[in-house]
Amino acid sequence: MASKTTPLKAALAAGEAAAKAAAGKSKAEILKKVANAATEAAIGEEAPPPLVARCVAEAVKKAGGSKHEAVVAAANAAVCSHPGLSRIQMTEEVFHRWDADKGGTLEFEEIIGHYMGASNHTDAKEAQVRAGFEKFIVKHGKKKGDSMDMTLFKKWMSSATMLQVTFQYLQSLSAHESLKRGSSFAEVAKAAAAAATAAGGDANAVAGEAAAVAMKLKASGAEVAKAAAMAAASAGASDEELAKISEAAAAKAGGSKEDAKKASLAAVEDIKANPVAIKKALAAGKQASEAAKSKPKAQMLKAVADAATQAAMAEGASQPIVAQAVAEAVKKAGGSPHDAVTAAANAAVCAHAGLSREQMTQAVFHRWDEDKSGTLEFEEVIGHYMGASNHSDAKEAQVRAGFEKFIVKNGKQKGDPMDLVLFKKWMSSATVLQVTFQYLQSLETDEAEALGASASMVAQAAAAAAKAAGGDANATADEAAAVAMKLKASPSDVANASAKAASSVGASEEQLAKIAAGAFQKAGGSKEDLESATVAAKSYAAACDAAAAAGAFQKAGGSKEDLESVTVAVKSHAAAVSTKGIVATGMPEPSGVSANVTAQKGDAAAAAGVFQKTGGSKEDLESATVATKSYAAAVPTKGTVATGMLEPSGVSANVTGQKGDAAAADPSKDAGASSAADVPMKEAVTSAPIVLKDLNASEMKQEFENKFLKLFDKHSAGKDALDNAQVQAFVSKLPPKSQAALGIKGWKSYLKEADLDGDGKLDRFEFQVFNTHRAMEVANEYTSLFEKTDADKDGYLTKDELTKFPAILGKLSFPNANAMLQKVDKDGDGKISKAELMHHVIDLLTAEGSTSQDDQANSKQRASVTDNQPSAKRRKSADQTSAPGGKRQVAVSDDGNKCWDFMAGRCWRGEKCHYFHDQASRVSDSELEEHRAACSAAAEAAGLNLSEEAFLELQTLEEGDAVSLIDSLANGSKSEKVRDKNDHLIHAARRKRATDGKTEHPDWAWFGKGKGKRRRWA
């Protein structure tokens, strides 16, 4: 039997040989040779693209390449392996495609176009290429002017790298062929980006590789920008980075800024939310549930999780999205919260491998095929089969009998081996989780580490998914330990995995000790080593608390000088035991934190002693002690405590913001009895300017998710899902601005879109996912708009900028810059930060019409000072009264210079308006919202898709007038043939307001015979 060769070993050996052969050449040339040799070797071992890429990256690093060079090599290797063909196969395909006349040979004229089109030949002259071609022909026994046959073509192409051959092959495919073979520029760029990410590339590097691939495959500027943005988003780029990266890629490829903007928005939609993947996962889960409804519940849930996992992975969803979708599918099938946690953890394991089920099955086949015969003998299968956790009790004789029965059933002779086709059929009955574990177990230790698929890494992924699915410390730790055990980790590594998982959920030191001990024993750890594992878990928690404290302190603006004192103080509090066990069990040292945690008791005295010893000032001593006692240092905030730590529950830690204020920190003392500088908390908060926190994309998404869940709870009346009436109520409560921004054009269409599983209701998950997805799209638009408006790029919007670039005013329906500043500028510095704008957008998108008693009282008051009609039926301002005869007259205190349009709810002229925009006279938002709902319902009934501008104008009219205008455009109505229905309604609404204004204000100045123009008073 031949010695076992893995793709990694083959790639490293080939790379090393290539490096020796290229000795004396430039480093760039050596690395190019190494990458080419390693790529061909890994592909020769039939490794799937992600594995080829990682193997090549390791070979380049081993040859002295930098991290960036390894990232580039990985991306190129992924491109080469993506078609799934060998170098010879691609060369033959290229020959047949270039042979335009199908003569079986290639004339010079059939080659020159392709040759000159290659990126490395763009500067070549045709005469030079012809001379080289003829020289090559003559050198190989042909006459000048002869054509090339297949053999000579292969020889000619042998000097090209694997990457050059691959690009020639991909470029030779028609658009239809590319899509059919999964080799479109988008798919290949995505593969390159995934490989670059796995090799450690940052967002810019990953996007650069994706854009380079797209450009080589002749993608348009917009397509290149999208490929770059998608790649950057998958690598965790922020919204700001996405915009810059996509713009740079578009410019490089000849695309416009508009292309770049669309690309970055598309990337946010496809990568950060991926509702398509979620919808397909839920549908697959539902179908599996129906098919398995007669089976035991556990078996049915297993089938649901398997189907949902494969569906989400097939859409290219990220690991967290796959886990989230599977957890929801299991819940919808009747699974308990614990079932959902387990399903999420298992789904994360499957997604973490980074390969499809098909790719993993092929990889397992080639690894089990130890003699490289291309088939699997029973002896090559039995060891792996018996090693699976669900087959540990099987007898070899039984397994052999089953194997032979399967072989015979599929047309083979008893004792025959399995080829790849039959192996795939045999594995088809396994779940994707079982296939994944077989693949992961087939990796050698060095391979697993290189691929990011070691037991600890996979267990960490499972723990993160379990936590996100709502698992507590014990459940999360159990999932991590189970994964580590299945991957044959040592007892100490299993204990390590469970401790890390529990720590991420906030387990206490004592909990960690118990959890680690339990996992250690379950994994077969000896009684003698148990204490070391327990101690290590506690010490690990102590070091993690210190790391969290340091991070929080810095994030909250703590000074560099005080950082060490705060970190050490927290360490001393958390370190209740020695760190002996860290070495004994191989517990990893948290990043950036020394494992040499002092073995002092976790009391305030110890914390105070260490704080002073490490240079902490006497003034800060009490604040640091209180913060340490309450573990506040582990949570980031800004401005509550002098050190930037969050005020612990029940402890008023320095509420005045003064350094070391012992009186304020002591809840037993009366704040009023302190010095004049001591201000009660409520007063201090209200008098200080509001400083809003900058939100990155992840934090903003979390904010939206939390707010939409609160809205769900508000409308669900304790039920698991919103029915038709509740959905209608939710939509009707949303202000017109919110409805328009979220793309809601009526409750029926909204329900149809948001109902991911098609059951006619909206559950918590669907409500949260759909609305958050829409809200993030809108938020990204405002981010882009902010950057366009911020002319001097100082991170703020000033009055001048808002006036010069008023697009953002119109989008947010502010009449002028002053109005926007008054509403959005929370800290009162006269300008708007991005944080202030985004918090305003969050409030806008998650706001509901007020139902407070104050609002109702105000509504009654308005009704009493206008006329006897309901406020929702008549547009009147609070300072207008009814004159005899039913006509409204202006109150004595009214000003003839007030803008009627603004009073009615909207002035489309904005700052250009010559009349005064009096906020006190303006109709209430609640009335506008009622009218908006009526207009929306009328538009839906009439089958009209109205613009936001049309709705904003229509809602300022009386309901009857607005509905009549809308109905006049419906099919069969008098104005049904009007082409631009939105423009027609906008101007009709404005004319109606002007007509009503003349009627309601007969005493205001007019001039112009027949023109009916209003004169502005001096």
Side-chain angles (χ1 to χ4, degrees):
M1 188 177 288
S3 61
K4 189 175 180 180
T5 302
T6 67
L8 181 62
K9 286 180 180 177
L12 293 177
E16 191 174 351
K20 286 180 180 177
K25 296 186 177 181
S26 67
K27 183 183 177 184
E29 188 66 25
I30 291 173
L31 293 179
K32 184 178 178 182
K33 298 281 187 186
V34 168
N36 187 60
T39 301
E40 293 200 47
I43 290 176
E45 289 295 318
E46 300 187 65
L51 181 53
V52 171
R54 292 303 297 265
C55 292
V56 172
E58 290 300 310
V60 167
K61 283 192 270 187
K62 190 175 179 182
S66 65
K67 182 180 177 181
H68 176 70
E69 287 163 334
V71 167
V72 173
N76 290 338
V79 171
C80 295
S81 57
H82 187 80
L85 301 175
S86 67
R87 179 193 181 100
I88 293 294
Q89 289 171 323
M90 286 192 286
T91 302
E92 289 174 348
E93 290 263 10
V94 170
F95 180 88
H96 292 305
R97 282 176 169 74
W98 287 8
D99 181 15
D101 61 4
K102 303 305 176 188
T105 59
L106 290 180
E107 308 287 339
F108 176 75
E109 286 70 21
E110 291 175 311
I111 291 176
I112 184 64
H114 304 289
Y115 185 91
M116 299 284 281
S119 57
N120 57 326
H121 297 146
T122 51
D123 296 331
K125 305 293 183 185
E126 184 174 335
Q128 294 172 322
V129 177
R130 183 182 290 275
F133 180 85
E134 290 176 345
K135 185 178 178 181
F136 178 83
I137 290 286
V138 171
K139 183 180 178 181
H140 289 87
K142 299 277 186 179
K143 291 180 182 179
K144 193 174 180 181
D146 281 356
S147 58
M148 277 187 195
D149 58 15
M150 175 71 84
T151 303
L152 201 53
F153 181 71
K154 286 180 180 178
K155 201 164 189 178
W156 186 53
M157 290 287 280
S158 64
S159 61
T161 65
M162 182 76 171
L163 184 64
Q164 290 168 336
V165 173
T166 304
F167 273 121
Q168 288 292 2
Y169 163 72
L170 292 171
Q171 289 167 356
S172 74
L173 299 176
S174 66
H176 177 70
E177 283 180 307
S178 295
L179 289 171
K180 191 175 179 181
R181 299 189 181 198
S183 293
S184 65
F185 80 87
E187 290 296 325
V188 180
K190 185 177 178 181
T197 302
D202 61 14
N204 283 292
V206 171
E209 295 308 313
V213 168
M215 282 192 284
K216 283 179 182 174
L217 294 179
K218 317 297 183 187
S220 67
E223 291 168 333
V224 170
K226 184 173 182 180
M230 293 284 284
S234 69
S238 66
D239 297 339
E240 292 81 2
E241 287 174 319
L242 272 182
K244 290 177 183 176
I245 287 169
S246 56
E247 188 173 326
K252 197 171 183 181
S256 65
K257 286 188 176 182
E258 189 61 30
D259 290 336
K261 179 183 175 183
K262 288 178 181 177
S264 86
L265 291 175
V268 171
E269 176 184 355
D270 291 351
I271 296 293
K272 297 191 175 178
N274 209 338
V276 174
I278 294 172
K279 192 165 188 172
K280 290 198 173 180
L282 293 178
K286 186 177 181 180
Q287 188 175 358
S289 174
E290 288 294 321
K293 61 184 176 183
S294 61
K295 295 182 179 179
K297 184 177 180 183
Q299 202 170 341
M300 181 269 289
L301 292 178
K302 183 180 178 182
V304 168
D306 185 55
T309 300
Q310 293 192 65
M313 287 172 61
E315 290 299 317
S318 63
Q319 186 175 296
I321 293 294
V322 171
Q324 182 187 25
V326 172
E328 287 304 318
V330 167
K331 284 184 199 172
K332 283 182 175 293
S336 66
H338 180 263
D339 292 329
V341 167
T342 299
N346 289 338
V349 171
C350 298
H352 186 79
L355 305 178
S356 67
R357 180 194 178 107
E358 178 87 2
Q359 290 172 331
M360 288 190 285
T361 302
Q362 289 182 19
V364 169
F365 179 87
H366 293 301
R367 279 176 170 74
W368 288 7
D369 180 18
E370 295 188 9
D371 61 3
K372 302 303 174 189
S373 63
T375 59
L376 289 179
E377 308 286 340
F378 176 74
E379 286 69 22
E380 290 174 311
V381 172
I382 185 63
H384 304 289
Y385 185 91
M386 300 284 280
S389 58
N390 58 327
H391 297 147
S392 56
D393 296 331
K395 305 294 182 185
E396 183 172 335
Q398 295 172 321
V399 178
R400 183 182 289 275
F403 182 86
E404 290 176 345
K405 185 178 178 182
F406 177 81
I407 289 288
V408 172
K409 184 180 178 182
N410 286 279
K412 301 277 186 180
Q413 297 293 321
K414 191 176 180 180
D416 281 354
M418 276 197 279
D419 59 14
L420 180 56
V421 174
L422 201 51
F423 180 73
K424 287 180 180 177
K425 195 170 184 179
W426 186 55
M427 290 287 281
S428 65
S429 60
T431 65
V432 69
L433 181 66
Q434 290 169 335
V435 174
T436 302
F437 274 121
Q438 288 292 2
Y439 164 70
L440 293 172
Q441 288 166 359
S442 74
L443 299 176
E444 293 193 358
T445 304
D446 56 350
E447 277 188 301
E449 290 291 341
L451 294 170
S454 64
S456 63
M457 293 173 181
V458 180
Q460 192 175 347
K467 176 186 175 184
D472 60 13
N474 284 296
T476 302
D478 284 347
E479 296 305 326
V483 168
M485 283 191 285
K486 283 180 183 175
L487 294 178
K488 316 299 184 187
S490 67
S492 60
D493 285 339
V494 173
N496 172 16
S498 65
K500 284 181 73 175
S503 178
S504 71
V505 188
S508 67
E509 290 172 31
E510 292 307 316
Q511 279 181 300
L512 281 179
K514 289 178 183 177
I515 287 169
F520 188 77
Q521 286 179 301
K522 196 172 182 180
S526 67
K527 193 173 181 181
E528 290 72 21
D529 289 338
L530 179 59
E531 187 175 350
S532 294
T534 307
V535 169
K538 287 186 178 182
S539 299
Y540 181 75
C544 283
D545 281 335
F553 185 75
Q554 286 179 301
K555 191 172 183 180
S559 69
K560 194 175 181 181
E561 292 72 20
D562 287 343
L563 175 61
E564 187 176 353
S565 299
V566 173
T567 306
V568 175
V570 177
K571 281 187 186 181
S572 69
H573 172 69
V577 290
S578 73
T579 59
K580 173 185 173 185
I582 288 182
V583 179
T585 62
M587 184 73 71
E589 180 180 318
S591 176
V593 180
S594 169
N596 186 23
V597 184
T598 56
Q600 300 184 29
K601 286 187 177 179
D603 56 16
V610 178
F611 185 78
Q612 287 180 301
K613 192 173 181 181
T614 53
S617 66
K618 190 174 180 181
E619 289 75 14
D620 286 343
L621 175 60
E622 186 162 353
S623 295
T625 305
V626 171
T628 305
K629 285 171 73 176
S630 62
Y631 278 91
V635 186
T637 187
K638 190 170 184 178
T640 309
V641 184
T643 58
M645 300 180 194
L646 183 68
E647 181 185 349
S649 177
V651 180
S652 178
N654 198 5
V655 296
T656 61
Q658 299 177 344
K659 271 195 169 185
D661 186 349
D666 188 347
S668 66
K669 293 186 179 180
D670 183 3
S674 303
S675 65
D678 292 329
V679 184
M681 182 184 290
K682 187 173 181 181
E683 185 179 342
V685 170
T686 54
S687 61
I690 300 171
V691 180
L692 297 175
K693 180 182 180 294
D694 281 322
L695 300 174
N696 59 33
S698 177
E699 290 169 330
M700 190 177 298
K701 183 181 178 185
Q702 186 66 52
E703 190 77 12
F704 278 127
E705 286 177 343
N706 293 339
K707 284 182 176 286
F708 282 121
L709 280 182
K710 287 181 181 177
L711 284 176
F712 177 88
D713 292 338
K714 178 179 176 182
H715 286 276
S716 65
K719 296 180 181 178
D720 294 333
L722 302 180
D723 57 24
N724 285 4
Q726 289 168 325
V727 171
Q728 189 172 5
F730 163 70
V731 170
S732 68
K733 285 283 184 183
L734 281 177
K737 291 180 187 177
S738 303
Q739 288 190 36
L742 291 170
I744 297 175
K745 297 170 184 175
W747 72 269
K748 289 181 181 178
S749 59
Y750 167 73
L751 176 59
K752 186 176 179 181
E753 287 185 83
D755 179 17
L756 297 177
D757 63 2
D759 65 354
K761 295 183 288 187
L762 285 190
D763 61 25
R764 283 171 64 85
F765 175 73
E766 291 169 330
F767 187 87
Q768 181 195 52
V769 167
F770 183 81
N771 288 324
T772 298
H773 173 61
R774 282 282 178 84
M776 285 297 291
E777 285 181 321
V778 176
N780 281 301
E781 289 178 17
Y782 278 107
T783 297
S784 177
L785 200 52
F786 180 95
E787 290 170 355
K788 284 184 178 179
T789 310
D790 181 18
D792 59 6
K793 305 303 176 190
D794 66 345
Y796 295 92
L797 303 184
T798 62
K799 182 179 177 180
D800 287 343
E801 287 171 332
L802 291 169
T803 304
K804 289 178 182 176
F805 308 99
I808 200 166
L809 294 175
K811 197 166 179 65
L812 288 169
S813 300
F814 284 111
N816 50 51
N818 286 333
M820 183 168 175
L821 284 166
Q822 184 178 1
K823 182 77 173 177
V824 183
D825 176 22
K826 298 297 183 183
D827 61 5
D829 61 356
K831 52 191 178 181
I832 297 170
S833 67
K834 184 177 286 187
E836 289 171 328
L837 175 66
M838 298 322 294
H839 279 278
H840 177 78
V841 169
I842 289 172
D843 290 341
L844 168 69
L845 297 178
T846 58
E848 282 199 312
S850 174
T851 57
S852 67
Q853 292 180 350
D854 289 343
D855 238 23
Q856 293 172 12
N858 290 338
S859 181
K860 289 178 181 178
Q861 184 181 5
R862 281 193 298 272
S864 68
V865 297
T866 54
D867 56 23
N868 294 326
Q869 294 183 8
S871 61
K873 299 291 181 185
R874 185 72 184 168
R875 316 286 355 171
K876 297 185 181 182
S877 68
D879 55 357
Q880 292 170 335
T881 56
S882 295
K887 287 187 177 181
R888 289 191 300 178
Q889 65 180 17
V890 183
V892 176
S893 61
D894 214 340
D895 178 3
N897 288 334
K898 288 180 182 178
C899 174
W900 300 342
D901 288 327
F902 186 78
M903 288 162 67
R906 182 172 190 262
C907 176
W908 56 274
R909 302 173 192 83
E911 287 197 331
K912 294 180 180 179
C913 184
H914 297 295
Y915 297 93
F916 175 53
H917 286 185
D918 180 27
Q919 191 67 42
S921 300
R922 185 177 179 269
V923 71
S924 72
D925 285 339
S926 60
E927 287 188 39
L928 290 172
E929 287 158 17
E930 289 176 17
H931 278 239
R932 172 59 174 260
C935 293
S936 180
E940 187 172 0
L944 300 180
N945 184 16
L946 300 185
S947 67
E948 172 65 6
E949 181 79 5
F951 275 124
L952 290 175
E953 294 290 346
L954 287 167
Q955 71 186 20
T956 63
L957 305 179
E958 292 180 16
E959 280 186 19
D961 293 333
V963 171
S964 295
L965 284 175
I966 293 170
D967 289 344
S968 70
L969 296 175
N971 288 335
S973 301
K974 62 179 181 179
S975 302
E976 67 169 323
K977 293 185 179 179
V978 171
R979 285 191 176 183
D980 192 339
K981 292 180 169 54
N982 284 310
D983 185 69
H984 175 84
L985 289 173
I986 289 167
H987 288 90
R990 291 174 184 171
R991 285 193 297 271
K992 179 61 178 168
R993 281 203 307 269
T995 302
D996 289 348
K998 296 174 192 175
T999 304
E1000 293 177 8
H1001 302 286
D1003 54 333
W1004 283 6
W1006 298 87
F1007 72 93
K1009 296 178 181 179
K1011 293 181 181 179
K1013 294 285 185 180
R1014 178 183 171 197
R1015 174 171 61 82
R1016 179 173 167 78
W1017 292 12

